[in-house]
């Protein structure tokens, strides 16, 4: 009986979280993206640049410092701690991730395949092992040697779900140092019809690492339905806007989107929170 219970426990579904949130949050700085998400009831991945200098990657004699691939990022932070994630950091004078956002039910996110990332200690064996495997794969590609495609794809998948405990990132045009682990990041990695367009780096494809090009590539993903997150009203727990004026604008968007179903419109509108009203209570 005990053995049967053990295996049944391994197959059980969602269990509420006690030490972290039961909501995953995606914040943005530009209101237009939030409006687009609600108008279309979809979320769209974008190409994000990641600094991978901590892995000492090389393609031939060229160092790979930055990579870019499509994702949607979420933080797993309790509501009362969101201010440090959302707002400007007075110590670094850098902007936060933005006061517009969507909070999604974590159980629903798990069902959609969202995945928490792995934070790597640069001095750990796990980090050194990933570095060695990636460089072995890059060496094979550079030399034209035979390499098991499934194996190399697996290594790249691990890279896409890894980040150092802390590191530097560009924010508002300023390179700042951040403790990434504090963000407790989860990612949605979309299926890209053309695998060759799912991963770029500054050694083999520097021309695609330009911000303007990444923006165009991100816009192109909106035409690929397989890359989208299809939102459901019940899955949305919170919608954040900055001001009361933003809330009024978003309510108009909601009622236009759901004009044939007033109950759905009212339900979604009831989930709007105004940041300037609640920030003093966090």
């Amino acid at each position: 009986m005990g053995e049967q219970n053990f295996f049944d426990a391994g197959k059980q579904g969602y269990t509420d979280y006690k030490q972290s949130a039961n909501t995953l949050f995606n914040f943005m700085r530009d209101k237009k993206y939030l409006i687009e998400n609600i108008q279309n009831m979809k979320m769209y991945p974008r190409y994000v640049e990641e600094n991978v200098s901590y892995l000492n990657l090389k393609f031939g004699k060229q160092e790979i410092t930055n990579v870019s691939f499509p994702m949607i990022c979420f933080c797993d932070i309790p509501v009362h701690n969101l201010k440090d994630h959302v707002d400007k950091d007075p110590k670094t004078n850098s902007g936060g991730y933005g006061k517009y956002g969507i909070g999604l039910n974590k159980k629903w996110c798990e069902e959609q395949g969202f995945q928490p990332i792995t934070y790597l200690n640069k001095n750990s064996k796990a980090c050194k092992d990933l570095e060695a495997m990636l460089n072995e794969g890059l060496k094979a590609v550079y030399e034209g040697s035979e390499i098991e495609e499934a194996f190399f794809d697996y290594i790249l998948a691990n890279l896409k779900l890894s980040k150092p405990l802390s590191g530097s990132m560009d924010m508002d045009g300023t390179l700042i140092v951040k403790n990434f682990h504090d963000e407790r990041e989860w990612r949605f990695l979309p299926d890209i019809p053309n695998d060759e367009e799912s991963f770029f780096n500054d050694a083999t494809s520097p021309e695609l690492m330009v911000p303007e090009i990444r923006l165009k590539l991100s816009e192109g993903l909106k035409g690929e339905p397989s890359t989208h997150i299809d939102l459901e009203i019940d899955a949305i727990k919170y919608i954040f806007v900055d001001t009361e004026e933003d809330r009024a604008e978003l309510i108009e968007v909601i009622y236009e989107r759901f004009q044939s179903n007033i109950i759905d419109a009212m339900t979604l509108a009831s989930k709007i929170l105004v940041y300037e009203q609640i920030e003093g209570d966090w």
Side-chain angles (χ1 to χ4, degrees):
M1 180 65 72
E3 184 177 352
Q4 181 64 41
N5 289 339
F6 172 81
F7 286 111
D8 287 345
K11 296 176 182 177
Q12 70 182 15
Y14 183 82
T15 302
D16 280 345
Y17 290 78
K18 303 298 184 183
Q19 301 298 324
S20 55
N22 282 281
T23 303
L24 295 182
F25 298 95
N26 172 262
F27 284 96
M28 57 207 83
R29 299 179 188 176
D30 197 325
K31 177 174 56 178
K32 72 179 183 181
Y33 295 119
L34 176 61
I35 289 175
E36 182 180 47
N37 291 163
I38 299 302
Q39 280 178 331
N40 300 328
M41 287 299 285
K42 293 179 182 294
M43 296 183 76
Y44 304 98
R46 63 184 182 89
Y47 281 83
V48 177
E49 184 174 275
E50 293 278 288
N51 187 311
V52 294
S53 57
Y54 69 101
L55 288 171
N56 303 304
L57 302 180
K58 288 188 176 182
F59 188 74
K61 294 183 178 181
Q62 291 182 280
E63 293 184 1
I64 296 177
T65 303
N66 295 293
V67 300
S68 181
F69 50 91
M71 68 178 92
I72 305 179
C73 304
F74 297 83
C75 67
D76 180 7
I77 303 174
V79 172
H80 66 276
N81 287 333
L82 283 175
K83 189 176 188 299
D84 290 332
H85 184 79
V86 170
D87 237 337
K88 191 172 185 177
D89 185 345
K91 293 182 180 179
T92 61
N93 199 34
S94 64
Y97 286 96
K99 298 178 180 179
Y100 302 97
I102 296 178
L104 300 176
N105 180 283
K106 191 187 281 186
K107 177 179 184 294
W108 183 86
C109 292
E110 288 187 11
E111 292 168 352
Q112 310 309 307
F114 293 21
Q115 175 67 27
I117 69 171
T118 298
Y119 289 97
L120 292 172
N121 174 358
K122 299 174 187 178
N123 301 310
S124 70
K125 184 177 185 300
C127 187
K128 291 176 171 45
D129 285 348
L130 180 60
E131 174 185 328
M133 287 190 295
L134 280 164
N135 274 317
E136 192 66 28
L138 289 167
K139 180 181 178 182
V141 173
Y142 179 76
E143 296 177 348
S145 305
E146 191 171 325
I147 182 173
E148 179 62 43
E149 185 176 348
F151 174 68
F152 194 54
D153 287 346
Y154 175 77
I155 301 173
L156 287 180
N158 275 271
L159 175 61
K160 291 178 181 181
L161 288 169
S162 298
K163 202 161 188 170
L165 288 171
S166 61
S168 61
M169 67 176 292
D170 183 274
M171 188 171 276
D172 297 330
T174 301
L175 198 64
I176 64 170
V177 175
K178 285 184 69 71
N179 183 313
F180 295 126
H181 189 266
D182 277 348
E183 298 175 355
R184 304 174 67 91
E185 185 178 344
W186 288 54
R187 288 178 180 172
F188 169 78
L189 300 177
D191 290 326
I192 305 297
N194 185 349
D195 288 342
E196 294 180 358
E197 297 179 359
S198 67
F199 186 85
F200 306 115
N201 65 74
D202 53 8
T204 64
S205 46
E207 71 283 358
L208 298 176
M209 298 293 290
V210 180
E212 293 78 12
I213 300 299
R214 290 205 313 273
L215 180 59
K216 289 182 179 180
L217 290 169
S218 298
E219 287 295 315
L221 291 177
K222 293 178 180 178
E224 297 288 352
S226 65
T227 69
H228 308 163
I229 296 174
D230 293 314
L231 294 173
E232 300 173 9
I233 291 177
D234 289 343
I236 298 175
K237 294 177 67 175
Y238 307 100
I239 301 174
F240 288 88
V241 296
D242 188 14
T243 66
E244 291 187 34
E245 289 76 15
D246 293 331
R247 177 174 59 188
E249 182 180 355
L250 191 58
I251 287 175
E252 288 186 15
V253 170
I254 290 172
Y255 276 87
E256 182 177 347
R257 171 66 171 77
F258 295 98
Q259 54 186 308
S260 62
N261 193 326
I262 190 66
I263 299 299
D264 283 351
M266 293 176 65
T267 300
L268 195 55
S270 71
K271 302 182 182 190
I272 300 175
L273 298 176
V274 179
Y275 186 83
E276 67 178 8
Q277 290 181 345
I278 63 175
E279 62 177 327
D281 297 324
W282 288 1

